[in-house]
Amino acid sequence: MSDLLNTLPPDPIYDRREKIRAITAKTLRRRTRLSQLFVGAISTTLVIALVPLVLVLYTIVQRGGSDLTLAFVTKLPQVPTIGQQNAIGGIGNAIVGTLIVAAMAAAMAIPLSLILGLYLVEMNTRLARIFRGGVEILSGIPSILLGVFAYIFIVIPQHHFSAFAASVALALLMTPVITKAVETAIRGVPDAVTEAGLALGARRSVVARRVVLPAARPGIITGTLLALARAMGETAPLLLIIGATDSSTWDLNPFHSMSALPTLTYFYSNSSFPSQHRAAWGVALVLVVLVLILNVTSRLISARLSRRAQA
Amino acid sequence: MNDSLDAAIQDGAVVGEFVTDPLLQLRKVNVSFSGRVAVRDVSFDVAPNKITALIGPSGSGKTTILRSLNRLHDLTKGAKVEGDLLLGGVDIYKGGIATMLLRSRIGMVFQRPNPFPTLSIYDNVVSGLRFNGIRKKSLLDEAAESALISAALWDSVSSRMKAHASTLSGGEQQRLCIARALAVEPEILLMDEPTSSLDPVSTQRIEELMTELKNRVTMIIVTHNMQQAARVSDNCAFLLMAEDRAGELIEFAPTSKIFHDPSDPRTVDYVNGRFG
């Protein structure tokens, strides 16, 4: 039998298989090298991107870490005097101010963005296209101009600076970001799911509310928290409208001026007292920690929600 | 289990006229995802130039086994494949075969036709060869023609090789995917429910195709369609999900035995449509 096999003409398929195997094996080393090279290049880029982040965090922790005491985060600021140059008190009111402004901004931006995002996905009308263009333009407007807007339309009519005006500016800043996140998350929900709801006789609004929005929740929550984190650190519009550069009271009325972490960092770093210069690092550190908490929370929530969605 | 295999070898059904070494051997294969066992202690042999069908209800681990054969689980975080999977006597996980080379020897066709959307018909067919570093035009052309002829697609596409793959019908797209897998000249072709998204006419063409391809490649097919398994396969592995949701091999035997004289009462129930 083996003689018979040897005398048969070579099968073109097996012949070609041999040829392909040979080339494949020969080029394997080159392909593997190339692959390693790319992985190396990507890793290097990652490291380069991480260097500034690590340096900034290191500097802030190194210079501001010692300020991070209970008194610093809970007490009111104390204006240094000639006799007591090192007494700076705390920044409790700035932390609370930042949280209040962010919460008010979120309360305005989130409902608006949810409705807007849903509208952009569900309605393919001319109006929707105009809105989409508007949202895109809004996301491109420099934040200082949003501050100017709030100054002209809220601060001037009311005749005083206010946390409310600041939150309006921040809400305008957040709206396009959250809208985009909502739109992307909703588009990620398969059409088949929407159709299944409609096929049961549900109204479009009911399907959107009961089926589509819950399915898109992980993406929506992540996008919202990231937008909030971004807005909390925003300085430019606040400089124009929140006032209270040296507020040292617990005035929590949202229609009064208020202290906030980013603006406080700015004013402390421009201060003529060395103690306030140093404290600016501490303020920055508190702000970074707050933003970090939001970032990590958003990741945890989205990881948990998407895990639950899979199970 | 081993008894039935031995019996099969004895009556010649496993390998046909004369006994050849099995091409692929699975010995106590376990697959788990993040600690959850999906496939437990599966052992069977795949005879060369035969069609081996994996049948069983959903969740019995058919696709999981199939995907472990060309190491697609490597891409899944937390996935772990244990046991011995021998290709020509060399373990495909522990034997030092480069994954890329392994995958060029064990091809795969998926449930839904998945031609590369931006590539032409020709570029789709030769893509596997190009990925493997083959540039020679004559070899590419020769392999493309041979693969398209084998996939019964040559007559309808030879005049429009530059057209986009998306211009083909669903059945044609699936045959294009078969041709794409064949062009690399694999020894084994894994098919994961290759006809489940196709109409009966396309299904029939692909079944005919599989029988014709036997002289060229060894096939392992996952199917929910028992008539299909009975029609095309030579050997059949019947799997079931155990109490703890892990897939287990109930019976492995020549297809005629599985469908007409199965040893295990659960196989009798399944092939007679009493559950699953």
Side-chain angles (χ1 to χ4, degrees):
Chain A
M1 173 122 42
S2 59
D3 284 344
L4 177 65
L5 282 177
N6 286 333
T7 53
L8 285 169
D11 186 322
I13 286 172
Y14 292 108
D15 200 35
R16 192 164 57 243
R17 183 176 287 170
E18 294 289 299
K19 247 191 249 170
I20 291 172
R21 284 291 167 277
I23 302 178
T24 306
K26 209 168 64 193
T27 57
L28 179 70
R29 185 193 292 267
R30 178 173 58 83
R31 287 185 287 136
T32 314
R33 277 239 188 89
L34 216 58
S35 164
Q36 284 165 346
L37 203 70
F38 271 109
V39 172
I42 291 167
S43 315
T44 314
T45 323
L46 177 71
V47 170
I48 292 173
L50 282 179
V51 165
L53 174 69
V54 171
L55 276 182
V56 166
L57 285 181
Y58 174 77
T59 317
I60 292 178
V61 171
Q62 194 215 4
R63 304 213 183 179
S66 57
D67 283 338
L68 213 56
T69 59
L70 188 66
F72 187 70
V73 295
T74 52
K75 287 225 164 78
L76 285 173
Q78 197 177 333
V79 182
T81 56
I82 307 285
Q84 276 192 312
Q85 291 222 358
N86 286 328
I88 47 153
I91 55 163
N93 61 343
I95 296 176
V96 174
T98 290
L99 293 177
I100 287 177
V101 172
M104 285 195 296
M108 285 181 261
I110 292 173
L112 184 67
S113 308
L114 274 181
I115 293 167
L116 208 53
L118 201 56
Y119 187 85
L120 291 184
V121 179
E122 293 285 327
M123 301 290 177
N124 198 13
T125 58
R126 197 175 201 182
L127 194 61
R129 281 197 290 280
I130 294 171
F131 273 141
R132 180 172 296 120
V135 167
E136 264 153 32
I137 293 169
L138 189 59
S139 73
I141 291 180
S143 57
I144 185 83
L145 289 185
L146 298 174
V148 171
F149 166 84
Y151 185 83
I152 294 172
F153 289 97
I154 300 172
V155 174
I156 291 182
Q158 288 191 326
H159 301 295
H160 58 80
F161 297 117
S162 73
F164 173 72
S167 65
V168 169
L170 291 190
L172 285 174
L173 193 83
M174 286 162 67
T175 301
V177 182
I178 305 180
T179 305
K180 206 80 206 153
V182 171
E183 199 188 339
T184 314
I186 292 178
R187 281 199 198 282
V189 179
D191 284 346
V193 173
T194 313
E195 284 172 4
L198 294 175
L200 289 167
R203 275 179 293 137
R204 273 177 92 175
S205 62
V206 174
V207 174
R209 208 170 60 234
R210 305 267 287 271
V211 180
V212 178
L213 278 181
R217 197 157 51 193
I220 294 174
I221 291 177
T222 316
T224 306
L225 288 181
L226 290 180
L228 197 60
R230 186 89 193 76
M232 258 171 50
E234 191 59 55
T235 321
L238 298 194
L239 286 175
L240 287 178
I241 44 184
I242 199 165
T245 59
D246 50 0
S247 160
S248 47
T249 58
W250 284 110
D251 184 358
L252 299 183
N253 186 334
F255 295 100
H256 291 175
S257 58
M258 222 179 248
S259 184
L261 291 170
T263 42
L264 194 63
T265 311
Y266 177 74
F267 287 119
Y268 271 5
S269 56
N270 274 342
S271 152
S272 47
F273 293 102
S275 57
Q276 287 191 333
H277 263 183
R278 240 177 296 115
W281 289 104
V283 185
L285 180 60
V286 172
L287 183 59
V288 167
V289 168
L290 281 181
V291 169
L292 209 64
I293 289 173
L294 272 182
N295 273 328
V296 171
T297 318
S298 83
R299 281 192 179 277
L300 287 181
I301 290 177
S302 76
R304 165 169 304 180
L305 283 180
S306 47
R307 229 194 350 264
R308 202 187 301 160
Q310 271 170 14
Chain B
M1 158 58 229
N2 266 326
D3 289 348
S4 64
L5 190 65
D6 289 343
I9 290 170
Q10 261 161 29
D11 65 35
V14 168
V15 288
E17 313 288 293
F18 50 93
V19 173
T20 325
D21 291 335
L23 183 55
L24 197 60
Q25 291 167 290
L26 284 80
R27 291 292 173 267
K28 287 204 168 288
V29 171
N30 282 269
V31 187
S32 58
F33 298 101
S34 312
R36 195 182 58 78
V37 181
V39 164
R40 181 167 42 234
D41 285 346
V42 168
S43 309
F44 63 88
D45 286 356
V46 175
N49 296 91
K50 296 283 170 191
I51 298 177
T52 304
L54 306 181
I55 60 169
S58 298
S60 58
K62 308 178 297 290
T63 300
T64 306
I65 293 175
L66 199 73
R67 289 167 71 90
S68 67
L69 296 180
N70 75 348
R71 299 190 60 162
L72 274 184
H73 293 312
D74 287 13
L75 307 171
T76 314
K77 211 178 141 204
K80 206 165 152 196
V81 180
E82 289 158 305
D84 303 323
L85 297 94
L86 307 169
L87 171 66
V90 183
D91 196 289
I92 62 178
Y93 282 84
K94 298 164 277 187
I97 309 179
T99 313
M100 286 187 278
L101 287 188
L102 172 79
R103 291 192 183 134
S104 73
R105 292 177 62 186
I106 304 183
M108 184 146 183
V109 175
F110 295 83
Q111 204 165 339
R112 286 171 173 279
N114 53 359
F116 298 127
T118 55
L119 298 185
S120 69
I121 293 170
Y122 177 83
D123 288 334
N124 256 289
V125 178
V126 300
S127 56
L129 296 168
R130 285 193 173 138
F131 294 157
N132 280 295
I134 290 157
R135 296 271 176 277
K136 213 170 132 198
K137 184 92 170 90
S138 60
L139 186 57
L140 293 179
D141 287 350
E142 186 191 321
E145 183 177 341
S146 161
L148 284 168
I149 290 171
S150 285
L153 206 57
W154 177 252
D155 291 339
S156 57
V157 303
S158 59
S159 58
R160 49 183 178 126
M161 296 284 266
K162 292 272 170 282
H164 266 262
S166 52
T167 58
L168 300 174
S169 72
E172 287 174 325
Q173 286 189 14
Q174 190 65 317
R175 275 182 279 144
L176 179 66
C177 292
I178 294 176
R180 181 176 65 184
L182 287 176
V184 194
E185 296 295 347
E187 287 142 76
I188 298 175
L189 191 56
L190 309 173
M191 304 178 109
D192 187 4
E193 297 180 47
T195 60
S196 66
S197 65
L198 303 179
D199 64 86
V201 178
S202 306
T203 300
Q204 197 195 341
R205 294 211 64 166
I206 289 190
E207 285 181 10
E208 287 163 8
L209 194 65
M210 291 175 67
T211 314
E212 285 160 24
L213 285 175
K214 274 207 258 180
N215 61 6
R216 182 168 180 161
V217 66
T218 303
M219 278 163 282
I220 306 174
I221 178 175
V222 164
T223 179
H224 271 124
N225 181 334
M226 277 189 289
Q227 284 80 17
Q228 183 169 63
R231 278 193 299 263
V232 303
S233 71
D234 300 288
N235 296 303
C236 237
F238 170 58
L239 296 115
L240 266 186
M241 191 163 77
E243 298 271 293
D244 63 345
R245 307 185 66 81
E248 290 180 334
L249 181 65
I250 303 300
E251 189 165 355
F252 180 79
T255 302
S256 55
K257 183 166 167 10
I258 288 275
F259 281 91
H260 298 115
D261 179 29
S263 318
D264 196 289
R266 288 168 291 181
T267 317
V268 180
D269 285 349
Y270 187 72
V271 298
N272 289 315
R274 256 170 271 169
F275 69 85

mmCIF file of all heavy atoms in Angstrom, chain B residues 11-39:
data_model
loop_
_atom_site.group_PDB
_atom_site.id
_atom_site.type_symbol
_atom_site.label_atom_id
_atom_site.label_comp_id
_atom_site.label_asym_id
_atom_site.label_seq_id
_atom_site.Cartn_x
_atom_site.Cartn_y
_atom_site.Cartn_z
ATOM 1 N N ASP B 11 -14.936 -2.066 14.335
ATOM 2 C CA ASP B 11 -15.758 -2.298 13.156
ATOM 3 C C ASP B 11 -15.458 -1.283 12.040
ATOM 4 O O ASP B 11 -16.192 -1.184 11.077
ATOM 5 C CB ASP B 11 -17.256 -2.378 13.497
ATOM 6 C CG ASP B 11 -17.805 -1.077 14.016
ATOM 7 O OD1 ASP B 11 -17.349 -0.004 13.552
ATOM 8 O OD2 ASP B 11 -18.684 -1.115 14.878
ATOM 9 N N GLY B 12 -14.353 -0.574 12.211
ATOM 10 C CA GLY B 12 -13.848 0.213 11.091
ATOM 11 C C GLY B 12 -14.608 1.483 10.822
ATOM 12 O O GLY B 12 -14.289 2.218 9.889
ATOM 13 N N ALA B 13 -15.613 1.763 11.639
ATOM 14 C CA ALA B 13 -16.455 2.917 11.334
ATOM 15 C C ALA B 13 -15.740 4.233 11.610
ATOM 16 O O ALA B 13 -16.017 5.241 10.978
ATOM 17 C CB ALA B 13 -17.737 2.853 12.149
ATOM 18 N N VAL B 14 -14.822 4.250 12.566
ATOM 19 C CA VAL B 14 -14.193 5.505 12.931
ATOM 20 C C VAL B 14 -13.285 6.004 11.822
ATOM 21 O O VAL B 14 -13.269 7.167 11.489
ATOM 22 C CB VAL B 14 -13.414 5.354 14.248
ATOM 23 C CG1 VAL B 14 -12.518 6.543 14.483
ATOM 24 C CG2 VAL B 14 -14.374 5.190 15.393
ATOM 25 N N VAL B 15 -12.516 5.119 11.217
ATOM 26 C CA VAL B 15 -11.513 5.588 10.277
ATOM 27 C C VAL B 15 -11.674 5.002 8.872
ATOM 28 O O VAL B 15 -10.827 5.217 8.028
ATOM 29 C CB VAL B 15 -10.096 5.277 10.794
ATOM 30 C CG1 VAL B 15 -9.779 6.182 11.952
ATOM 31 C CG2 VAL B 15 -9.978 3.828 11.191
ATOM 32 N N GLY B 16 -12.752 4.277 8.667
ATOM 33 C CA GLY B 16 -12.955 3.775 7.316
ATOM 34 C C GLY B 16 -12.214 2.482 7.063
ATOM 35 O O GLY B 16 -12.175 1.601 7.914
ATOM 36 N N GLU B 17 -11.620 2.394 5.879
ATOM 37 C CA GLU B 17 -11.032 1.139 5.414
ATOM 38 C C GLU B 17 -9.914 0.634 6.321
ATOM 39 O O GLU B 17 -9.904 -0.499 6.744
ATOM 40 C CB GLU B 17 -10.446 1.314 3.998
ATOM 41 C CG GLU B 17 -11.359 2.000 3.037
ATOM 42 C CD GLU B 17 -12.508 1.110 2.624
ATOM 43 O OE1 GLU B 17 -12.246 0.101 1.951
ATOM 44 O OE2 GLU B 17 -13.670 1.414 2.989
ATOM 45 N N PHE B 18 -8.972 1.518 6.605
ATOM 46 C CA PHE B 18 -7.855 1.063 7.432
ATOM 47 C C PHE B 18 -7.660 2.030 8.591
ATOM 48 O O PHE B 18 -8.017 3.208 8.526
ATOM 49 C CB PHE B 18 -6.569 0.949 6.614
ATOM 50 C CG PHE B 18 -6.253 2.180 5.804
ATOM 51 C CD1 PHE B 18 -5.429 3.176 6.307
ATOM 52 C CD2 PHE B 18 -6.793 2.340 4.529
ATOM 53 C CE1 PHE B 18 -5.142 4.289 5.555
ATOM 54 C CE2 PHE B 18 -6.515 3.463 3.787
ATOM 55 C CZ PHE B 18 -5.692 4.440 4.294
ATOM 56 N N VAL B 19 -7.098 1.514 9.654
ATOM 57 C CA VAL B 19 -6.983 2.309 10.870
ATOM 58 C C VAL B 19 -5.814 3.290 10.746
ATOM 59 O O VAL B 19 -4.684 2.901 10.472
ATOM 60 C CB VAL B 19 -6.787 1.397 12.093
ATOM 61 C CG1 VAL B 19 -6.491 2.213 13.327
ATOM 62 C CG2 VAL B 19 -8.022 0.531 12.290
ATOM 63 N N THR B 20 -6.133 4.551 10.908
ATOM 64 C CA THR B 20 -5.096 5.585 10.887
ATOM 65 C C THR B 20 -5.049 6.218 12.273
ATOM 66 O O THR B 20 -6.018 6.160 13.011
ATOM 67 C CB THR B 20 -5.452 6.684 9.866
ATOM 68 O OG1 THR B 20 -6.110 6.077 8.768
ATOM 69 C CG2 THR B 20 -4.225 7.417 9.404
ATOM 70 N N ASP B 21 -3.956 6.824 12.573
ATOM 71 C CA ASP B 21 -3.873 7.527 13.858
ATOM 72 C C ASP B 21 -4.880 8.667 13.861
ATOM 73 O O ASP B 21 -5.073 9.315 12.842
ATOM 74 C CB ASP B 21 -2.469 8.105 14.052
ATOM 75 C CG ASP B 21 -1.457 7.005 14.268
ATOM 76 O OD1 ASP B 21 -1.869 5.928 14.725
ATOM 77 O OD2 ASP B 21 -0.270 7.231 13.959
ATOM 78 N N PRO B 22 -5.493 8.891 15.003
ATOM 79 C CA PRO B 22 -6.403 10.044 15.056
ATOM 80 C C PRO B 22 -5.613 11.338 14.845
ATOM 81 O O PRO B 22 -4.453 11.444 15.241
ATOM 82 C CB PRO B 22 -6.994 9.980 16.459
ATOM 83 C CG PRO B 22 -6.073 9.109 17.237
ATOM 84 C CD PRO B 22 -5.437 8.167 16.266
ATOM 85 N N LEU B 23 -6.258 12.313 14.172
ATOM 86 C CA LEU B 23 -5.583 13.579 13.906
ATOM 87 C C LEU B 23 -5.559 14.426 15.163
ATOM 88 O O LEU B 23 -4.584 15.108 15.461
ATOM 89 C CB LEU B 23 -6.334 14.302 12.783
ATOM 90 C CG LEU B 23 -5.759 15.604 12.286
ATOM 91 C CD1 LEU B 23 -4.314 15.429 11.852
ATOM 92 C CD2 LEU B 23 -6.594 16.126 11.146
ATOM 93 N N LEU B 24 -6.661 14.366 15.892
ATOM 94 C CA LEU B 24 -6.801 15.219 17.074
ATOM 95 C C LEU B 24 -7.297 14.341 18.211
ATOM 96 O O LEU B 24 -8.204 13.525 18.022
ATOM 97 C CB LEU B 24 -7.839 16.296 16.761
ATOM 98 C CG LEU B 24 -7.922 17.547 17.621
ATOM 99 C CD1 LEU B 24 -6.612 18.319 17.594
ATOM 100 C CD2 LEU B 24 -9.047 18.430 17.110
ATOM 101 N N GLN B 25 -6.642 14.466 19.370
ATOM 102 C CA GLN B 25 -7.074 13.674 20.521
ATOM 103 C C GLN B 25 -7.379 14.606 21.686
ATOM 104 O O GLN B 25 -6.550 15.451 22.034
ATOM 105 C CB GLN B 25 -5.969 12.703 20.937
ATOM 106 C CG GLN B 25 -5.712 11.592 19.933
ATOM 107 C CD GLN B 25 -4.426 10.869 20.249
ATOM 108 O OE1 GLN B 25 -3.341 11.414 20.086
ATOM 109 N NE2 GLN B 25 -4.538 9.633 20.707
ATOM 110 N N LEU B 26 -8.551 14.455 22.270
ATOM 111 C CA LEU B 26 -8.884 15.217 23.469
ATOM 112 C C LEU B 26 -8.865 14.253 24.642
ATOM 113 O O LEU B 26 -9.502 13.199 24.586
ATOM 114 C CB LEU B 26 -10.263 15.853 23.349
ATOM 115 C CG LEU B 26 -10.388 17.090 22.450
ATOM 116 C CD1 LEU B 26 -10.481 16.680 20.999
ATOM 117 C CD2 LEU B 26 -11.578 17.921 22.849
ATOM 118 N N ARG B 27 -8.119 14.585 25.670
ATOM 119 C CA ARG B 27 -8.040 13.719 26.838
ATOM 120 C C ARG B 27 -8.342 14.524 28.092
ATOM 121 O O ARG B 27 -7.588 15.420 28.465
ATOM 122 C CB ARG B 27 -6.627 13.117 26.955
ATOM 123 C CG ARG B 27 -6.295 12.100 25.875
ATOM 124 C CD ARG B 27 -7.131 10.834 26.021
ATOM 125 N NE ARG B 27 -6.918 9.936 24.888
ATOM 126 C CZ ARG B 27 -7.680 9.911 23.782
ATOM 127 N NH1 ARG B 27 -8.708 10.730 23.672
ATOM 128 N NH2 ARG B 27 -7.422 9.071 22.817
ATOM 129 N N LYS B 28 -9.476 14.214 28.717
ATOM 130 C CA LYS B 28 -9.886 14.859 29.968
ATOM 131 C C LYS B 28 -9.784 16.379 29.865
ATOM 132 O O LYS B 28 -9.144 17.041 30.684
ATOM 133 C CB LYS B 28 -9.044 14.343 31.136
ATOM 134 C CG LYS B 28 -9.398 12.928 31.539
ATOM 135 C CD LYS B 28 -9.009 12.668 32.991
ATOM 136 C CE LYS B 28 -9.598 11.367 33.514
ATOM 137 N NZ LYS B 28 -11.044 11.427 33.736
ATOM 138 N N VAL B 29 -10.401 16.913 28.832
ATOM 139 C CA VAL B 29 -10.348 18.359 28.625
ATOM 140 C C VAL B 29 -11.364 19.041 29.537
ATOM 141 O O VAL B 29 -12.527 18.643 29.612
ATOM 142 C CB VAL B 29 -10.637 18.701 27.145
ATOM 143 C CG1 VAL B 29 -10.795 20.201 26.971
ATOM 144 C CG2 VAL B 29 -9.504 18.176 26.268
ATOM 145 N N ASN B 30 -10.883 20.052 30.261
ATOM 146 C CA ASN B 30 -11.728 20.871 31.132
ATOM 147 C C ASN B 30 -11.593 22.318 30.702
ATOM 148 O O ASN B 30 -10.476 22.786 30.491
ATOM 149 C CB ASN B 30 -11.279 20.762 32.588
ATOM 150 C CG ASN B 30 -11.744 19.466 33.216
ATOM 151 O OD1 ASN B 30 -12.802 19.404 33.800
ATOM 152 N ND2 ASN B 30 -10.932 18.416 33.050
ATOM 153 N N VAL B 31 -12.708 23.008 30.571
ATOM 154 C CA VAL B 31 -12.651 24.440 30.280
ATOM 155 C C VAL B 31 -13.432 25.157 31.368
ATOM 156 O O VAL B 31 -14.553 24.755 31.700
ATOM 157 C CB VAL B 31 -13.263 24.778 28.898
ATOM 158 C CG1 VAL B 31 -13.035 26.239 28.567
ATOM 159 C CG2 VAL B 31 -12.674 23.888 27.815
ATOM 160 N N SER B 32 -12.818 26.204 31.943
ATOM 161 C CA SER B 32 -13.537 26.963 32.957
ATOM 162 C C SER B 32 -13.381 28.448 32.689
ATOM 163 O O SER B 32 -12.397 28.887 32.097
ATOM 164 C CB SER B 32 -13.006 26.614 34.351
ATOM 165 O OG SER B 32 -11.629 26.893 34.416
ATOM 166 N N PHE B 33 -14.390 29.199 33.089
ATOM 167 C CA PHE B 33 -14.360 30.656 32.968
ATOM 168 C C PHE B 33 -14.423 31.252 34.362
ATOM 169 O O PHE B 33 -15.415 31.075 35.055
ATOM 170 C CB PHE B 33 -15.528 31.154 32.109
ATOM 171 C CG PHE B 33 -15.479 30.639 30.701
ATOM 172 C CD1 PHE B 33 -16.278 29.589 30.299
ATOM 173 C CD2 PHE B 33 -14.608 31.206 29.777
ATOM 174 C CE1 PHE B 33 -16.220 29.106 29.006
ATOM 175 C CE2 PHE B 33 -14.549 30.728 28.478
ATOM 176 C CZ PHE B 33 -15.352 29.682 28.099
ATOM 177 N N SER B 34 -13.350 31.943 34.758
ATOM 178 C CA SER B 34 -13.253 32.531 36.100
ATOM 179 C C SER B 34 -13.665 31.509 37.165
ATOM 180 O O SER B 34 -14.430 31.810 38.078
ATOM 181 C CB SER B 34 -14.123 33.777 36.219
ATOM 182 O OG SER B 34 -13.909 34.622 35.133
ATOM 183 N N GLY B 35 -13.166 30.283 37.036
ATOM 184 C CA GLY B 35 -13.416 29.275 38.054
ATOM 185 C C GLY B 35 -14.691 28.466 37.840
ATOM 186 O O GLY B 35 -14.861 27.406 38.427
ATOM 187 N N ARG B 36 -15.615 28.970 37.000
ATOM 188 C CA ARG B 36 -16.851 28.242 36.752
ATOM 189 C C ARG B 36 -16.599 27.234 35.628
ATOM 190 O O ARG B 36 -16.226 27.621 34.518
ATOM 191 C CB ARG B 36 -17.958 29.209 36.344
ATOM 192 C CG ARG B 36 -19.361 28.618 36.419
ATOM 193 C CD ARG B 36 -20.374 29.662 35.949
ATOM 194 N NE ARG B 36 -20.094 30.120 34.594
ATOM 195 C CZ ARG B 36 -20.408 29.423 33.500
ATOM 196 N NH1 ARG B 36 -21.008 28.264 33.608
ATOM 197 N NH2 ARG B 36 -20.123 29.890 32.303
ATOM 198 N N VAL B 37 -16.800 25.944 35.941
ATOM 199 C CA VAL B 37 -16.487 24.903 34.958
ATOM 200 C C VAL B 37 -17.570 24.863 33.883
ATOM 201 O O VAL B 37 -18.760 24.759 34.188
ATOM 202 C CB VAL B 37 -16.373 23.523 35.645
ATOM 203 C CG1 VAL B 37 -16.032 22.449 34.629
ATOM 204 C CG2 VAL B 37 -15.311 23.569 36.737
ATOM 205 N N ALA B 38 -17.159 24.970 32.615
ATOM 206 C CA ALA B 38 -18.121 24.955 31.510
ATOM 207 C C ALA B 38 -18.098 23.617 30.778
ATOM 208 O O ALA B 38 -19.095 23.205 30.204
ATOM 209 C CB ALA B 38 -17.829 26.090 30.535
ATOM 210 N N VAL B 39 -16.940 22.958 30.812
ATOM 211 C CA VAL B 39 -16.794 21.664 30.144
ATOM 212 C C VAL B 39 -15.938 20.790 31.056
ATOM 213 O O VAL B 39 -14.917 21.239 31.563
ATOM 214 C CB VAL B 39 -16.098 21.821 28.771
ATOM 215 C CG1 VAL B 39 -15.604 20.479 28.272
ATOM 216 C CG2 VAL B 39 -17.030 22.456 27.758
#
